Amino acid sequence: MALGILTSSAVLAAAAYGITIAVRSAHQTNRISADGASAISTAPDTGVSSLPGPFAWLTSTAPPTTWTRLTLPSGLGSLSVPPRLRPVPGDEGTATLAFLGSDGTYLGYLNVTPRQGEESLAGWAAFRLAHLRGDGSISARQDGAVESVRTGQSLRSCVTDDYETEIGRHHFHEVACLVMTTSASSVVVAATPSGDPAHLWTQLERAVAAYPFA
């Protein structure tokens, strides 16, 4: 779901584990041909991938113990919630949390949506940006992407991007990950207004990295 846009993101668990890992930015693409598990150096006992530069935060799969643990619907596991976020209305079967300013504006946003469509790990970044552009965003620009990496017990593709909503002309920075486990598939999205005025971005990254929290 994009802030300011009434829409749902979705997943189809159709990607194989033995595919290519790709880390992309607006300027370059680095690829590592691999057979899946052997492609990623894995820390002992954790199943956490060693990821480059902009996506190193994805290795932080253990959230702070003081955060609230939210059990999600549809067998999607648990989401670890940063302290200032509270539940807000969302689509049926989803979990949506936000931190709102005194004027009701979104200063931080976290959403998990279960599988609904035909998205796949391969090409996830392009799909997400096309989804934003077609659902009420004036513009959507990719900052970086990582494709088909294993973190903890999940396999995921993620994109970070910046977009501007048509309604209100609001600018947001987001990370959106398509996450696949042995039991379910889902999309987790976190966003803040550009500039992160409430200083929530790092906490939202931790929540995304830890999802689904066992």
Side-chain angles (χ1 to χ4, degrees):
M1 180 182 288
L3 292 182
I5 306 171
L6 297 177
T7 178
S8 295
S9 299
V11 170
L12 177 66
Y17 280 52
I19 55 184
T20 298
I21 300 166
V23 179
R24 300 187 181 91
S25 70
H27 305 291
Q28 63 181 11
T29 298
N30 298 320
R31 291 185 176 273
I32 307 171
S33 294
D35 61 357
S38 63
I40 311 165
S41 58
T42 303
D45 302 323
T46 64
V48 176
S49 304
S50 176
L51 296 171
F55 288 92
W57 56 270
L58 277 174
T59 63
S60 299
T61 57
T65 57
T66 56
W67 287 12
T68 301
R69 179 170 171 169
L70 177 66
T71 300
L72 301 175
S74 306
L76 297 179
S78 297
L79 179 68
S80 192
V81 182
R84 288 182 285 175
L85 270 64
R86 298 291 183 269
V88 295
D91 294 340
E92 184 178 356
T94 71
T96 305
L97 303 105
F99 176 60
L100 304 178
S102 57
D103 59 354
T105 58
Y106 281 80
L107 298 177
Y109 171 86
L110 184 62
N111 172 268
V112 176
T113 298
R115 153 187 178 175
Q116 293 179 12
E118 297 182 352
E119 299 88 334
S120 65
L121 292 171
W124 165 246
F127 177 89
R128 178 63 186 175
L129 266 65
H131 177 76
L132 289 170
R133 295 179 186 125
D135 240 343
S137 291
I138 297 171
S139 63
R141 176 178 58 84
Q142 176 178 316
D143 297 319
V146 64
E147 193 167 280
S148 304
V149 296
R150 187 183 298 279
T151 59
Q153 301 302 310
S154 69
L155 191 66
R156 68 180 66 205
S157 291
C158 298
V159 59
T160 54
D161 59 76
D162 296 277
Y163 65 90
E164 180 183 0
T165 64
E166 183 176 4
I167 299 174
R169 303 295 292 265
H170 300 297
H171 295 261
F172 291 98
H173 181 57
E174 77 159 12
V175 56
C177 295
L178 187 158
V179 181
M180 297 171 59
T181 68
T182 55
S183 60
S185 300
S186 54
V187 172
V188 57
V189 176
T192 65
S194 297
D196 188 20
H199 308 291
L200 282 171
W201 183 252
T202 299
Q203 292 184 354
L204 291 172
E205 285 183 330
R206 289 289 301 273
V208 170
Y211 172 74
F213 185 53

